[in-house]
Amino acid sequence: MDAKTYTAALGELRVLRDDIKKAQAALARLEAERDKKITMLADYEKAKAERIAPAAGLSLAEVVSRVPKLAPATLTADATPTEPVQPATVTESAPVQATEATEADEVPGALAPALTPQSTADPEPRPTVEPAPTPVTIAAPASALMERERALPSIPEGPDGDNWFTHTPNLASTHPNFTQQARTTVFLDATTGTLVHRDRTTQLGLGNGSVGEILTAVFHAVPEGAERIYITAGDPWHRDADRHPYLKDAVAAWLNAPAPGWHTDTGRGKDRMAGHFVHPRNPVGRYQRDNSEHHVEIRSAGEWFDTTGATPAIVRDAFVLLWTTLRSHWPDAVIMGSPSQTGRDLWTRTIPERGQFADGYPVLSEELRGLLHATAGQGRTELITPPQVPDQLPALVEYDRTFAYAKHTWKSGVGTPRRITATTFATWSEKEQTKALFGCGHWHVRVTVPTNWNHVGILPAPAPGDRAWHYPATAGTTFTTWAGGPEIYTALANPLQPWKIEILDGLLFDDGKPLDDWSRKLKEAWSRLTAQAQLHGDPAQRTAAHLASRAVRAILLYGIGSFAQRPRMVTGSTPRTMERDVPQDAEIIAFDDHHITWQRPTGFTRDPHAHPEWAAGVWSSARAALLSQRMREDNTYVGALHAPPGSVVAFRTDAVYLTGPQNWPYHGQPGDYLHKGHLAGPVPAPTTEDELLNLRDIGRAALQHRSPHSSGEV
């Protein structure tokens, strides 16, 4: 670039600056006019926020924040104060090694050192019960709720709370009495037009890659029809992304574009999967042929694994390998549209038909499911920035846990949980307290970080934002939260210093193995495919086996997530000419000249396979293992708390990022820490997630170049 071009570009930049200012001013005027209209409408005695929100293109909460008097009565009514609870405080005497529990562990002995005073000249006191008032939560208007940190729910005192501890009548997970039907599937590269159907490859002309053009081309090439089209490359739903402010808007526009001869599938009988699923990267389009019963899905193969560089034929081979491998464990196995659907279907076929749960696993009450939904987070994602870490890192080293969730499925809570109040917990012996905290439980606790703590946080605490969590680590900090037994155990028995835990309330289940058989079969399938990916003589088949092994991982990972059964969010599209038909409780997420795209929560459905207690237990165990895990074969411990203070840079679900390498053994088994990336320093400490991910990719490439066999995706 010369000086003349530089000067001209500066002039163009100033013009853009002025245009942006004008647009911002115009937008501000429009928003002010909109808010003025909302305030005017609120003066109407029958005005409802549910009706105003879709007309304004705002959420219900955003309308209420502008006009608080429109808030529903349930948001503004004060809660009835209750008697304060006496929490049971568990204090510890000396740090011990945290242990990853296995089936061979004896419960009392595993945690007893954490609760029993050490033999010293000046022994510490035994666990005590300390009275402390429980703060009474008073509901506030929505505008106030949005301005403060998210408050976690608690169980009501007395009989009202006790009534939560039951199961939903006539709703249980039972062994299926039918054979799942396979769907005719084709694989399409939307960039090159390559279509693979069984053993036949066809080259298609897709035009601009619209829904209508894809359906026309595919059904011309496959006259007998297809019920599922997997897009292996090309992401056609992103073709107009530059014309929309958000990627989700572009996806919604692509899904809802006219497709001559087809209309949006509205469902068949009890099919709850009707309609499009708007997702920014892995959407699902569901269509039905006009005047016909022919239904078809357009899905992304990226739901299952990363397809980068894989041809449609290799992706097809990966699905064939996946199916044949699963069939060795489930003779009636069928690959369904997504990993979560497949995982849950396979799990139902491991439900025992004899014994204690021959009648199925009952589903918890809606109140307990809602409590677990609000208080049990998933993977730990945290970036630790300066001054907690150096501005210039000596290195950035990534350790990723292999097939991590498969490590934590051997034990889960079953049956109707017991409510363990603070008073009840305080009356128990040390042995009973130990067994309870070591068991399958979910605990409401008040936590105090030790006064001289200098490492990362252990227990999650609610942060501002929907389902956001952070991990307080400042010495002396006190907070109230919910946590699973594995994390409570780690806080009490970590290798540095025990934390103070006050039990306020809790759910305690009987120990069971509802996921063990399912997980064991998936681990065997994963091991077989992983071996093929390493040993097969044909490079294409090695790639297919690798992708199939990743699909098995996705089946278990997303299968566990499906047990959480979060409140459903339904997405829909309504013509602009029928705006009044937009559901009153819907949130407008996109619109154009022809359609309004909206979403609305529908609450918990009567899903017979909803078991959030199992998902919460696995997630808690996985978060605890990021901090401390025992390697039995090597008689050693691994995890973030076994790295030096100040050396932890980040957590990302199954991975931990450190400033230096660790001598952690790796045997390629589920839960082992794989040395996956190593970027030599000095490295500027990342301050954003994007910076971390960029350094992660560079570190993986650097380690692969240095030692091709030392890192790999597993």
Side-chain angles (χ1 to χ4, degrees):
M1 176 181 292
D2 56 24
K4 183 177 180 180
T5 305
Y6 178 75
T7 302
L10 283 177
E12 294 170 357
L13 187 60
R14 294 187 189 99
V15 173
L16 288 174
R17 176 200 63 195
D18 295 340
D19 289 344
I20 290 172
K21 287 183 178 179
K22 292 176 183 177
Q24 288 174 333
L27 177 61
R29 287 194 297 271
L30 290 172
E31 289 179 337
E33 182 66 19
R34 178 197 61 194
D35 293 346
K36 183 178 178 181
K37 292 284 187 184
I38 291 173
T39 303
M40 180 186 70
L41 289 169
D43 291 334
Y44 178 52
E45 61 180 358
K46 295 183 180 180
K48 293 184 178 180
E50 295 90 341
R51 189 62 183 153
I52 294 174
L58 297 173
S59 69
L60 182 63
E62 288 171 326
V63 169
V64 171
S65 70
R66 287 161 172 77
V67 188
K69 69 181 181 180
L70 290 176
T74 53
L75 288 178
T76 56
D78 287 347
T80 304
T82 58
E83 292 297 321
V85 178
Q86 303 294 330
T89 302
V90 181
T91 58
E92 298 297 337
S93 56
V96 298
Q97 295 290 342
T99 305
E100 173 62 27
T102 69
E103 296 168 279
D105 289 328
E106 293 190 9
V107 171
L111 194 57
L115 296 173
T116 306
Q118 303 295 306
S119 293
T120 62
D122 185 16
E124 294 286 334
R126 296 171 64 83
T128 59
V129 178
E130 296 180 2
T134 295
V136 178
T137 301
I138 305 296
S143 56
L145 290 174
M146 290 188 295
E147 296 174 357
R148 69 186 188 209
E149 287 196 355
R150 179 168 50 95
L152 297 181
S154 58
I155 304 171
E157 293 299 317
D160 288 343
D162 294 339
N163 290 337
W164 288 18
F165 287 76
T166 184
H167 286 96
T168 303
N170 305 315
L171 192 64
S173 308
T174 57
H175 196 284
N177 57 3
F178 63 93
T179 300
Q180 193 68 254
Q181 297 299 309
R183 294 193 180 186
T184 306
T185 303
V186 299
F187 303 89
L188 173 66
D189 184 326
T191 300
T192 65
T194 303
L195 177 77
V196 173
H197 175 225
R198 297 179 179 158
D199 59 352
R200 189 168 77 246
T201 299
T202 308
Q203 202 66 34
L204 306 183
L206 299 179
N208 292 321
S210 68
V211 169
E213 289 168 318
I214 288 175
L215 291 175
T216 299
V218 168
F219 279 81
H220 177 75
V222 186
E224 61 269 38
E227 297 171 278
R228 183 178 298 136
I229 302 170
Y230 274 125
I231 304 297
T232 65
D235 298 341
W237 38 81
H238 293 163
R239 63 179 188 145
D240 291 329
D242 57 342
R243 296 172 54 189
H244 297 271
Y246 300 104
L247 204 55
K248 204 169 184 178
D249 296 345
V251 172
W254 186 84
L255 292 171
N256 289 306
W262 297 85
H263 60 269
T264 301
D265 188 351
T266 55
R268 310 181 287 286
K270 296 183 179 180
D271 182 8
R272 293 194 299 256
M273 304 307 293
H276 305 317
F277 175 60
V278 182
H279 186 278
R281 305 214 173 266
N282 295 315
V284 182
R286 299 185 177 96
Y287 304 92
Q288 181 177 354
R289 192 189 288 274
D290 292 345
N291 304 316
S292 170
E293 289 300 311
H294 197 120
H295 304 260
V296 63
E297 289 182 333
I298 299 178
R299 309 187 72 112
S300 168
E303 293 182 82
W304 292 86
F305 39 67
D306 183 0
T307 61
T308 302
T311 65
I314 288 178
V315 173
R316 175 210 52 201
D317 290 347
F319 276 96
V320 172
L321 274 174
L322 173 65
W323 177 73
T324 56
T325 305
L326 292 177
R327 281 264 168 156
S328 66
H329 297 289
W330 288 275
D332 55 352
V334 169
I335 306 300
M336 302 182 71
S338 70
S340 61
Q341 293 171 336
T342 305
R344 196 160 65 170
D345 179 69
L346 294 176
W347 172 75
T348 63
R349 297 172 194 282
T350 65
I351 297 175
E353 297 181 89
R354 299 178 182 177
Q356 181 181 1
F357 293 102
D359 293 331
Y361 293 101
V363 174
L364 294 178
S365 68
E366 186 168 329
E367 291 82 2
L368 285 184
R369 281 182 280 148
L371 178 72
L372 286 163
H373 164 67
T375 61
Q378 298 187 36
R380 178 171 181 168
T381 301
E382 181 182 19
L383 177 62
I384 301 171
T385 57
Q388 281 69 38
V389 296
D391 291 318
Q392 293 291 320
L393 308 179
L396 184 65
V397 185
E398 177 187 10
Y399 287 94
D400 187 42
R401 298 186 66 225
T402 296
F403 204 11
Y405 285 3
K407 173 79 172 179
H408 307 294
T409 53
W410 65 271
K411 182 177 75 169
S412 302
V414 294
T416 303
R418 290 178 289 158
R419 181 179 188 178
I420 309 300
T421 64
T423 303
T424 300
F425 189 88
T427 63
W428 285 354
S429 67
E430 179 184 303
K431 182 177 180 180
E432 290 172 317
Q433 290 181 346
T434 300
K435 184 175 181 179
L437 293 175
F438 187 72
C440 297
H442 192 59
W443 301 93
H444 194 195
V445 292
R446 184 178 295 116
V447 183
T448 301
V449 183
T451 54
N452 57 348
W453 186 257
N454 66 345
H455 218 297
V456 297
I458 293 180
L459 294 174
D466 181 33
R467 295 190 58 77
W469 301 89
H470 65 141
Y471 294 81
T474 304
T477 300
T478 296
F479 59 96
T480 300
T481 190
W482 284 84
E487 291 168 287
I488 298 291
Y489 171 81
T490 302
L492 294 172
N494 69 79
L496 302 175
Q497 186 180 7
W499 287 31
K500 180 181 177 182
I501 306 294
E502 301 173 68
I503 303 296
L504 305 177
D505 215 334
L507 290 66
L508 185 60
F509 294 86
D510 291 335
D511 292 350
K513 295 180 177 293
L515 305 179
D516 190 52
D517 186 35
W518 172 71
S519 176
R520 177 183 55 79
K521 292 177 178 180
L522 289 176
K523 283 186 283 189
E524 290 176 0
W526 172 80
S527 296
R528 183 186 306 177
L529 290 166
T530 300
Q532 290 185 45
Q534 295 170 345
L535 302 174
H536 203 288
D538 183 347
Q541 287 303 300
R542 285 202 300 271
T543 300
H546 170 70
L547 295 181
S549 73
R550 298 296 291 174
V552 173
R553 176 186 178 275
I555 287 172
L556 186 135
L557 178 69
Y558 294 114
I560 289 171
S562 73
F563 289 124
Q565 199 244 350
R566 308 206 179 284
R568 292 189 70 207
M569 184 70 73
V570 174
T571 303
S573 179
T574 301
R576 291 294 295 266
T577 56
M578 302 173 64
E579 182 173 337
R580 291 184 60 86
D581 291 341
V582 174
Q584 292 187 354
D585 58 346
E587 175 187 1
I588 306 299
I589 60 174
F591 56 86
D592 55 28
D593 293 338
H594 305 288
H595 290 87
I596 298 172
T597 303
W598 48 265
Q599 64 181 16
R600 66 183 180 92
T602 59
F604 292 103
T605 61
R606 281 186 60 83
D607 184 349
H609 308 310
H611 292 285
E613 67 276 20
W614 298 346
V618 171
W619 294 336
S620 178
S621 296
R623 291 193 301 269
L626 271 181
L627 299 172
S628 185
Q629 173 180 285
R630 183 183 178 190
M631 300 285 289
R632 285 183 163 273
E633 295 180 14
D634 305 276
N635 193 27
T636 190
Y637 294 85
V638 297
L641 291 178
H642 300 276
S647 66
V648 180
V649 178
F651 296 95
R652 281 188 62 80
T653 309
D654 300 331
V656 59
Y657 296 81
L658 307 171
T659 60
Q662 305 297 312
N663 188 26
W664 293 346
Y666 181 75
H667 305 293
Q669 297 301 309
D672 287 0
Y673 278 88
L674 171 67
H675 186 194
K676 198 168 184 178
H678 193 136
L679 182 59
V683 179
T687 57
T688 67
E689 182 181 26
D690 286 343
E691 290 178 2
L692 173 67
L693 296 179
N694 183 54
L695 293 174
R696 176 201 67 182
D697 294 342
I698 297 173
R700 289 180 178 178
L703 181 61
Q704 184 69 20
H705 177 74
R706 186 177 67 184
S707 179
H709 302 292
S710 65
S711 70
E713 195 172 23
V714 293

